[in-house]
Amino acid sequence: MPTCAAPNCTNSHMKGFRVFTFPKDEGRRKQWLINCRRDNWKPTAFSALCEVHFEASQFEEHRLDGKRKLKPNAIPTLFFNVPKPHARTEVMRKTNIALCSIIGKILHVLK
């Protein structure tokens, strides 16, 4: 299973997070790439972003199966303390990992 492709995020399916592969639609795929701020990187067919990077409004509501499914037009917008890649520091990387972990734990408690 894939690990989140967002900079400094270590969430994965194995850690209990939902992950969503990059869309095949070129327009949405481009917006995902812009938002996750990974310069000179091209996602593969297996590249994905975890649920932490999507606002609650980007998920379908009231699903009978209880799963969190992205809306067809969902765009990830939550990338915490992720400056342009050339400006990253080790402190910012550790801060972002900690924030992703905390938000992930909060999401699991709220489920």
Side-chain angles (χ1 to χ4, degrees):
M1 281 287 150
T3 299
C4 184
N8 304 320
C9 185
T10 61
N11 295 339
S12 69
H13 178 74
M14 297 298 287
K15 292 181 180 179
F17 294 91
R18 292 288 317 261
V19 292
F20 305 96
T21 56
F22 278 71
K24 290 180 173 59
D25 173 72
E26 285 301 316
R28 283 187 52 235
R29 186 179 190 91
K30 184 177 179 180
Q31 191 60 53
W32 281 38
L33 282 167
I34 291 168
N35 287 8
C36 76
R37 301 182 208 156
R38 291 196 59 177
D39 292 342
N40 302 317
W41 178 78
K42 292 185 182 186
T44 68
F46 305 103
S47 297
L49 293 175
C50 74
E51 62 188 288
V52 172
H53 304 290
F54 296 88
E55 294 179 27
S57 64
Q58 299 297 299
F59 293 94
E60 291 182 358
E61 295 181 21
H62 311 295
R63 289 183 53 90
L64 295 177
D65 60 9
K67 291 186 178 180
R68 296 190 86 195
K69 182 178 178 186
L70 287 177
K71 292 180 179 178
N73 61 346
I75 302 290
T77 57
L78 304 176
F79 296 93
F80 312 97
N81 293 328
V82 183
K84 297 276 186 207
H86 63 278
R88 279 193 207 121
T89 66
E90 184 64 16
V91 172
M92 288 179 184
R93 186 186 72 78
K94 288 180 180 177
T95 301
N96 195 49
I97 289 171
L99 283 171
C100 285
S101 177
I102 290 167
I103 291 168
K105 289 175 184 175
I106 291 170
L107 286 173
H108 281 287
V109 169
L110 295 176
K111 285 183 183 178

